[in-house]
Amino acid sequence: MKTAISFFQSYPRASLITVLAFLFSGLAEGIGLLSFVPLLYLALNSEKESMGEEQSAILGDVVLIANISEFFGPLLTIENVIVVLFVGLTLNNYFLLLANKQIGITLAKISFDFRVRILRSIYRSKWEYFVGEPTGHFTSRLTNEVKRAANTYMDSALLIAYFAQCITYLVLAALVSLPLTALALLVAAIALLVSKRFIAASGGYGAANTKYIKEISRRAIESLNGIKAIKAMGKEPLLETSFFREIDELRKSQAGQITAAEHLKMWQKEIILFFMLLGFYGSFHTDWISPVEVLLLAAVLMRFFSQTTKCSGQIQKVAVGESAYHSLEQFLGQAESNFEVVHGGSQPTLERELVFSDVDFSYHEKQVFKRLNIRIPAHKITTLIGASGAGKSTIIDLISTLISPDGGDILVDGQSLEDINIAQWRGMIGYVPQEAFLLHDTIMTNITLGDSAITRQQVEQALEEANADEFVGQLEGGVDFNVGERGSRLSGGQRQRIMIARALVNRPQLLIFDEATSSLDPSSEQEICSTICSLRGDHTVLCASHRPMLVDYADHVID
């Protein structure tokens, strides 16, 4: 129930409206059901003259208990009772509509809020934290876990609704027979006690479901990202075996959850049935309650026990959904504690040079740099060369402020990166990675990334500067051409030119090419290098490469 309380604290107004609507719904239903008692009295009273002495005595007992005629007097007519019955049940339907509508609205709001928090956590977290989390886990949280966590709110609200209806039926039952109502309450408590075992089991299965779904999502995304290489090497059977193992574990967990739910229903029904029959048997062999009252009480208590069974079912659903909620809260707590601090500061410029001064950096206790000193002149092409793992990408990450040095300083036109406005500095950078990151969308969207401030004319200019305007003009639709999944409808060189156009469209001062030609054939590499060369003077260009061609085009080489 801690999860339900947490939800209600986060959404107090919506939760209050929902709870009040359910309470009024239960009250209205109670008024409607209570009107059946005078209706029964009126029906029996109309036949009283034709009854024998024994039947009349039974009727007298009912009238004595209800005190119908004395309480209502001349207002007690068939017409009035039917009106009260209609109004009560109509109000019940109205308040149920209000409550269920509010649940739906709040459910959508919870899902929206969770997804916004997750996306913000992904985009705002420190780079070191982000790269340590599998992409599949993010996907699972955005879809499965958000849905299950939001449904926990709905299950909690329905639990309150069923509980309110239980109270209504208890009050009605108490008006007929207080001792049997007390017995019914005891039976409900015993049934709830028995259900604790199955509820705990369901919670365990729910946690297992969350774990396996997250792992399946991770494996699926990783496999799909490398599906071409996997198929080319015939490694599908190996991945299938591993994949199917996780899916089978999920199947077992879900089967266990369903089994626990069905066992809960069965045992509750058996306990309730046994005690109800025992109570009614005793009532028929005593003179402290009439047979008519027994039948009336049976109808009310059957509804009461039906709702208590539903309450146990909702408690079980909340226990299952809690694992997704706690998983989300744990992730969000960790991610939000790892938010990078994008501080303000002075306006950055890059007119003279970018300098590393005695920079130290270690990664997982392995020292990458010790007192590194390098200079990158502005408006020139600088190429970082070296074998894989030599630290080229680390230098780029330090310049991009994705990571911070352990010691020393990085200066831009004499200003420390720690003293400048980081958001503005990153806005001055155009970045072209080794692997083309393209959306399954148009060339226009892939260049603008959805930025409505970038005009079509700016996109066309960026394509021209990237020497991509010619091949784009030959495509059906031009910039409105859909590039396919991960740019599969374009060649490697074409994909890389779209990436260069994306980097150029915001008129950056610093252009970074991180192994941007390493996956290209010699002809395409030559064309990209010529494009990079044409950018000299208008931009400061920094290239990281372990291939010699970019060295020939460089004004400055750092080895």
Side-chain angles (χ1 to χ4, degrees), residues 116-248:
V116 167
R117 287 182 65 191
I118 291 170
L119 287 171
R120 283 178 177 167
S121 298
I122 293 172
Y123 294 138
R124 298 183 183 183
S125 61
K126 295 176 182 176
W127 180 245
E128 302 99 308
Y129 175 80
F130 176 79
V131 296
E133 285 286 310
T135 305
H137 288 189
F138 290 128
T139 306
S140 177
R141 289 173 182 127
L142 278 168
T143 53
N144 177 267
E145 289 184 19
V146 165
K147 181 180 178 180
R148 290 174 59 203
N151 283 341
T152 303
Y153 174 84
M154 180 180 68
D155 292 329
S156 302
L158 290 176
L159 173 61
I160 293 173
Y162 296 145
F163 181 75
Q165 289 171 343
C166 285
I167 298 299
T168 299
Y169 295 131
L170 274 178
V171 172
L172 290 177
L175 293 175
V176 179
S177 173
L178 191 58
L180 281 182
T181 303
L183 177 62
L185 197 57
L186 177 63
V187 172
I190 293 172
L192 186 61
L193 189 64
V194 171
S195 69
K196 284 185 65 178
R197 172 191 169 190
F198 301 107
I199 291 171
S202 296
Y205 288 125
N209 289 348
T210 301
K211 170 188 171 184
Y212 292 129
I213 290 172
K214 198 182 296 181
E215 285 304 301
I216 289 169
S217 179
R218 177 184 67 82
R219 288 186 183 275
I221 288 177
E222 290 175 351
S223 300
L224 290 173
N225 283 342
I227 191 65
K228 185 175 182 180
I230 291 167
K231 289 183 73 66
M233 296 186 294
K235 299 296 184 181
E236 303 98 306
L238 292 176
L239 287 176
E240 284 176 2
T241 301
S242 177
F243 215 142
F244 292 167
R245 190 182 303 118
E246 296 286 352
I247 293 174
D248 189 52

Side-chain angles (χ1 to χ4, degrees), residues 443 447 456-481 490 493-502 504 527-528 531 534:
I443 291 175
I447 293 175
R456 195 179 189 89
Q457 183 179 358
Q458 289 174 300
V459 169
E460 291 171 350
Q461 182 180 351
L463 287 168
E464 183 179 349
E465 291 177 357
N467 291 327
D469 54 325
E470 183 176 345
F471 86 81
V472 169
Q474 295 173 355
L475 297 173
E476 183 180 355
V479 295
D480 296 317
F481 177 79
L490 302 176
Q494 289 173 335
R495 287 196 293 269
Q496 209 64 7
R497 289 187 182 282
I498 298 299
M499 296 292 292
I500 295 173
R502 177 195 292 166
L504 288 169
E527 292 175 358
I528 295 298
T531 299
S534 68

Side-chain angles (χ1 to χ4, degrees), residues 49-164:
E49 294 180 358
S50 61
M51 291 181 182
E53 291 185 4
E54 185 177 350
Q55 292 172 311
S56 182
I58 293 173
L59 175 60
D61 290 339
V62 177
V63 174
L64 179 64
I65 294 173
N67 287 318
I68 297 298
S69 61
E70 182 179 342
F71 186 81
F72 288 101
L75 295 175
L76 188 62
T77 65
I78 290 288
E79 292 79 7
N80 288 343
V81 172
I82 289 176
V83 169
V84 171
L85 177 62
F86 176 78
V87 171
L89 296 182
T90 299
L91 286 175
N92 171 53
N93 291 333
Y94 170 76
F95 284 120
L96 277 178
L97 172 65
L98 177 63
N100 290 327
K101 179 181 176 182
Q102 190 63 53
I103 286 177
I105 294 172
T106 309
L107 202 67
K109 182 69 166 63
I110 290 171
S111 298
F112 172 81
D113 289 346
F114 264 129
R115 289 189 173 107
V116 167
R117 287 182 65 191
I118 291 170
L119 287 171
R120 283 178 177 167
S121 298
I122 293 172
Y123 294 138
R124 298 183 183 183
S125 61
K126 295 176 182 176
W127 180 245
E128 302 99 308
Y129 175 80
F130 176 79
V131 296
E133 285 286 310
T135 305
H137 288 189
F138 290 128
T139 306
S140 177
R141 289 173 182 127
L142 278 168
T143 53
N144 177 267
E145 289 184 19
V146 165
K147 181 180 178 180
R148 290 174 59 203
N151 283 341
T152 303
Y153 174 84
M154 180 180 68
D155 292 329
S156 302
L158 290 176
L159 173 61
I160 293 173
Y162 296 145
F163 181 75

Side-chain angles (χ1 to χ4, degrees), residues 359-362 398 403-410 418:
V359 171
D360 298 333
F361 183 79
S362 299
L398 286 165
I403 54 178
S404 300
D406 299 328
D409 206 355
I410 302 173
E418 295 183 356

